[in-house]
Amino acid sequence: MYRVCGIVYHADDAAGKHFVCRFIDKSGGVYFHDGAKYKDQVVYYDNIVNFPPKKLQTVDKYVMKMVIYTRL
């Protein structure tokens, strides 16, 4: 059995190519990281049970490019 533990997003814009990510901790907390915007901070969003699958596909202008799983 596996669970999603991270999602990598990508966008091309006038400023260039940029990646951001979400990660999900063992208790289901969803966090967001954008090093260009928040430097070394991560932002807590909500618990994974409150995210419909469609909402996980994008973050603002960023589109999902990779899903990372871990074995339970």
Side-chain angles (χ1 to χ4, degrees):
M1 193 158 187
Y2 294 87
R3 73 170 180 84
V4 174
C5 62
I7 303 171
V8 178
Y9 302 86
H10 177 261
D12 285 325
D13 59 17
K17 300 176 187 298
H18 187 65
F19 291 92
V20 298
C21 70
R22 280 184 175 141
F23 62 92
I24 300 102
D25 66 15
K26 288 181 181 180
S27 65
V30 178
Y31 297 84
F32 175 75
H33 183 258
D34 179 349
K37 187 173 183 180
Y38 298 112
K39 305 294 182 218
D40 59 349
Q41 289 184 307
V42 293
V43 178
Y44 176 78
Y45 270 66
D46 203 345
N47 194 284
I48 191 69
V49 298
N50 299 322
F51 275 83
K54 272 278 205 219
K55 189 175 178 182
L56 289 173
Q57 292 178 2
T58 60
V59 176
D60 299 326
K61 63 184 177 185
Y62 300 96
V63 179
M64 181 190 307
K65 293 296 178 180
M66 182 187 316
V67 179
I68 303 165
Y69 295 88
T70 187
R71 188 181 300 208
L72 295 176

